[in-house]
Amino acid sequence: MKKRIAILGSTGSIGVQALNVIRNHSDLFEAEVLTAHSNYELLIKQAIEFKPNTVVITNKKYYSIVEEALSAYDIKVFAGDKSMAEVMEMSTIDMVLTAVVGFAGLRPTLRAIEYGKTIALANKETMVVAGKLVTDLAREKQVPILPVDSEHSAIFQSLVGETFNPIHKLLLTASGGPFLGKTFDELKGVTVADALKHPNWVMGKKVTIDSATLMNKGLEVIEAKWLFNVNCDQIEVVVHPQSIVHSLVEFQDGSLKAQLGLPSMELPIQYAFSYPARLTSNLPKFNFANYPQLSFLQPDRETFRCLDLAYMAMEKGGNVPCIMNAANEIAVQNFIEEKIHFLDIPVLIHDIMSNGGFIENPTLDDLLETDFEARIKAQQWIDNKNKL
Ligand code: NDP
Ligand code: MG
């Protein structure tokens, strides 16, 4: 029987690549649910090709267009955030790929775990905001969370066969993004277009900007803490501009295990879908002749302050990572809209993190409220700055 997969965010960069994997292995996988936010045209196209049981368009404005376009097909159409969470209860879903961007992924992910669905996790913000809630619930419901983020997939692959060997350290590799090597002064003039030019990966805008600030690596450090159950001081970041070594695990004896390959998200998506099996792939294969040198260096934490902000949030714990994430989402959105400068991003996040009320063991409601308040404060910070 085919694995029936729900893709949350099928119109995004990860979603589209996940559908490529399903297309290439249509004997093994099928798309059971597709969700999109506003790209209704692509959602309709995908639905007609993949014939899912259900589609959800979370932006209600587009419901009637999608409903009308799919009326000749046997496909259920729903709209709104609530529906995206509710469809996670469907008994015909075997696995959920969480590929929406940002905090919006939290509720449907929790609902999917509640209903026993295996999670293929791309939406790292969910782990950052609610790592404890998510991992506690997954443990209680015995639901596997399979990483899709390339670094975490590399660690996961390196841990196969090491069940009884404790992790000494995790080394997360970072490409360094488009501004690798730039000084603080050089960053003063950078534009949105500069920040969106990632050297190795083609991704959604939010994660691309996060890569340029190094917040992406910060979010991934927190994601790793929860996925692999390690302490904050067991996670290190190393810059590796070629993005060939996707991350490493150091064991007690000093051995390092890593997973390598050309940068493509289809591979970690496919591995999460097929785990523990490996399937064939028509992706280009690595050739040493094209990479005579692989290099590794320390991140510049003074210029790219977001990495340390994430470590700080992780060490404080409670609702602080949620505050940081909300401030970052607002900062990135406003940077893309050219309302703040690139170098404002860490200043804004730091200020909002320093002014939030601390909750040590937040419930889901606490996190929803924390996120809401932090977004308002971040937007006020920007409005006040622009008034000056
Ligand atoms: P994209 O921006 O390309 O896609 C985001 C998807 O989420 C789209 O389908 C979009 O719908 C949908 N979406 C956006 N906002 C909302 C919302 N408020 N409610 C519901 N759905 C929404 O992002 P990526 O695919 O790049 O990233 C997705 C996640 O995966 C992120 O958390 C990212 O950090 C993570 N990730 C991405 C990698 C990559 O290579 N892209 C690598 C590793 C992790 P629509 O387009 O219809 O508006
Ligand atoms: Mg990554």
Side-chain angles (χ1 to χ4, degrees):
M1 198 169 148
K2 292 185 195 182
K3 194 175 276 178
R4 294 160 300 183
I5 301 174
I7 303 181
L8 302 178
S10 64
T11 49
S13 156
I14 293 286
V16 166
Q17 294 178 84
L19 286 172
N20 277 343
V21 172
I22 295 181
R23 193 182 285 116
N24 293 338
H25 293 284
S26 54
D27 51 330
L28 296 173
F29 309 123
E30 63 187 327
E32 184 68 4
V33 173
L34 301 177
T35 86
H37 186 57
S38 47
N39 192 347
Y40 62 86
E41 283 176 328
L42 183 55
L43 179 67
I44 292 167
K45 220 170 123 215
Q46 292 175 337
I48 292 172
E49 179 185 350
F50 289 91
K51 311 267 177 338
N53 177 310
T54 297
V55 302
V56 181
I57 180 97
T58 45
N59 189 336
K60 290 181 176 171
K61 209 161 69 177
Y62 304 113
Y63 171 74
S64 50
I65 305 177
V66 179
E67 147 80 28
E68 167 85 30
L70 298 180
S71 58
Y73 301 87
D74 185 18
I75 298 171
K76 297 180 200 78
V77 181
F78 299 105
D81 296 337
K82 227 173 137 216
S83 299
M84 177 168 64
E86 276 167 7
V87 297
M88 296 295 94
E89 298 177 15
M90 282 165 52
S91 60
T92 52
I93 298 173
D94 300 313
M95 173 182 266
V96 176
L97 170 66
T98 66
V100 299
V101 58
F103 188 85
L106 175 59
R107 275 194 273 205
T109 306
L110 284 171
R111 189 74 68 95
I113 299 172
E114 181 75 41
Y115 280 78
K117 315 298 180 192
T118 298
I119 304 292
L121 184 98
N123 173 240
K124 62 192 89 185
E125 294 90 346
T126 283
M127 271 301 188
V128 170
V129 165
K132 182 154 169 47
L133 286 186
V134 170
T135 50
D136 281 355
L137 187 64
R139 211 167 296 123
E140 183 195 324
K141 301 285 175 185
Q142 301 193 326
V143 162
I145 301 182
L146 306 168
V148 167
D149 213 345
S150 58
E151 297 76 4
H152 306 73
S153 176
I155 291 168
F156 185 66
Q157 294 182 52
S158 302
L159 287 171
V160 170
E162 304 284 358
T163 316
F164 301 107
N165 294 322
I167 295 167
H168 188 243
K169 204 195 278 176
L170 299 178
L171 293 131
L172 293 191
T173 51
S175 69
F179 302 142
L180 175 63
K182 286 221 183 304
T183 62
F184 188 83
D185 280 341
E186 286 169 339
L187 289 176
K188 284 181 180 159
V190 298
T191 64
V192 177
D194 296 331
L196 286 174
K197 268 186 231 133
H198 197 283
N200 304 338
W201 299 94
V202 181
M203 311 181 283
K205 279 188 183 173
K206 197 258 178 185
V207 58
T208 307
I209 302 299
D210 284 345
S211 297
T213 61
L214 282 202
M215 179 53 93
N216 183 49
K217 213 45 54 180
L219 299 175
E220 291 182 354
V221 166
I222 304 178
E223 183 187 10
K225 169 189 155 60
W226 292 111
L227 280 173
F228 304 109
N229 194 19
V230 294
N231 297 324
C232 305
D233 58 4
Q234 285 177 287
I235 312 171
E236 216 174 277
V237 171
V238 55
V239 174
H240 167 47
Q242 298 82 12
S243 297
I244 295 297
V245 177
H246 295 307
S247 277
L248 311 91
V249 180
E250 186 186 295
F251 294 93
Q252 282 175 322
D253 58 2
S255 259
L256 290 166
K257 277 173 80 176
Q259 183 257 343
L260 287 75
L262 290 177
S264 162
M265 287 308 297
E266 277 193 41
L267 197 149
I269 294 167
Q270 176 169 302
Y271 189 70
F273 285 1
S274 68
Y275 171 80
R278 289 188 186 274
L279 305 178
T280 56
S281 141
N282 50 19
L283 294 168
K285 302 283 188 290
F286 178 77
N287 181 346
F288 272 108
N290 300 327
Y291 290 89
Q293 227 168 24
L294 296 178
S295 45
F296 300 90
L297 50 151
Q298 293 298 314
D300 175 356
R301 309 176 90 112
E302 272 170 39
T303 307
F304 298 92
R305 287 179 53 204
C306 287
L307 182 57
D308 280 350
L309 290 175
Y311 268 94
M312 200 197 293
M314 174 170 65
E315 276 151 21
K316 290 196 170 156
N319 63 340
V320 181
C322 177
I323 298 173
M324 179 194 76
N325 178 70
N328 182 54
E329 288 193 25
I330 294 293
V332 170
Q333 187 191 323
N334 279 273
F335 171 66
I336 291 171
E337 291 167 7
E338 298 183 336
K339 292 186 184 136
I340 58 170
H341 190 271
F342 186 75
L343 289 172
D344 291 330
I345 297 174
V347 183
L348 160 62
I349 298 168
H350 181 261
D351 284 359
I352 305 304
M353 275 171 68
S354 316
N355 287 315
F358 181 65
I359 306 173
E360 193 168 355
N361 286 307
T363 61
L364 177 58
D365 283 343
D366 292 332
L367 291 175
L368 294 170
E369 206 176 305
T370 297
D371 175 76
F372 182 75
E373 281 174 9
R375 279 169 198 270
I376 290 178
K377 282 186 193 159
Q379 197 56 57
Q380 280 168 349
W381 188 100
I382 293 165
D383 296 344
N384 288 339
K385 180 169 188 293
N386 289 342
K387 260 191 232 145
L388 295 178

